[in-house]
Amino acid sequence: MPQPFSLTDLGIPEGSEIHKLADHCSRIRPLCFDDGECLIRAGDVVRTVYLVLRGGYVVEGGNGDAGAVLERHEDPGVLMPSFVGEMAYLGGERRSATVRGVGPVYAMAIEPEDLDAVIAEFPLFTRILCRQFARRIRQMNHTLHDRN
């Protein structure tokens, strides 16, 4: 069961974009997931998106490949935010993969109505989201090219 944490505990300075985001969207919840704990389960219809602030995770399964590792995100040891769960929300579909923490994962749980505010009012996080989409498209192109 994820536990709440304080952004200050991670050494995130007051006045940072992350603090501004948390202050602006009062429903955002900072949560710490334990090693191996699921942030997201394939097949769920929950629309919560997570902004991972610190920690590593593995993306498993999806598209009938239950247990197959689709992506690994290593803990860089420094603040490097990334989103998980955004594909199901933005695509309006069920979760297509399971995301498990590798070591402790510190993330901000963002509900759909707040994600819209993040995209509209916080360009830094919108750029992070767009970079992730671009990286996934490149990976998909490489995979398709390798199969042909």
Side-chain angles (χ1 to χ4, degrees):
M1 187 72 160
Q3 299 297 312
F5 74 93
S6 166
L7 294 175
T8 308
D9 294 343
L10 288 183
I12 298 172
E14 291 289 332
S16 68
E17 284 295 297
I18 293 169
H19 273 283
K20 289 177 187 174
L21 175 63
D23 292 342
H24 182 73
C25 302
S26 62
R27 289 177 296 254
I28 290 179
R29 302 175 323 269
L31 297 173
C32 179
F33 295 82
D34 290 330
D35 182 38
E37 191 169 3
C38 285
L39 284 77
I40 292 171
R41 289 188 192 282
D44 283 354
V45 293
V46 178
R47 297 286 186 242
T48 303
V49 174
Y50 295 95
L51 177 60
V52 176
L53 303 176
R54 197 162 287 151
Y57 56 88
V58 61
V59 181
E60 305 169 327
N63 301 326
D65 300 326
V69 174
L70 304 175
E71 179 182 346
R72 286 188 186 279
H73 178 87
E74 303 295 326
D75 182 0
V78 296
L79 186 66
M80 277 195 105
S82 63
F83 285 95
V84 294
E86 79 288 354
M87 298 291 284
Y89 167 68
L90 294 170
E93 299 174 358
R94 290 181 180 271
R95 304 288 193 186
S96 61
T98 296
V99 179
R100 294 182 194 281
V102 177
V105 175
Y106 296 87
M108 296 175 73
I110 303 172
E111 298 307 321
E113 53 276 4
D114 287 329
L115 184 60
D116 293 339
V118 169
I119 291 169
E121 300 174 37
F122 291 89
L124 170 69
F125 299 114
T126 303
R127 283 192 297 277
I128 291 169
L129 193 58
C130 290
R131 284 184 191 129
Q132 280 185 222
F133 285 138
R135 181 177 43 81
R136 286 188 182 144
I137 290 169
R138 270 194 308 278
Q139 287 173 338
M140 186 183 307
N141 283 339
H142 289 296
T143 301
L144 291 173
H145 182 265
D146 291 345
R147 288 182 182 174
N148 292 329

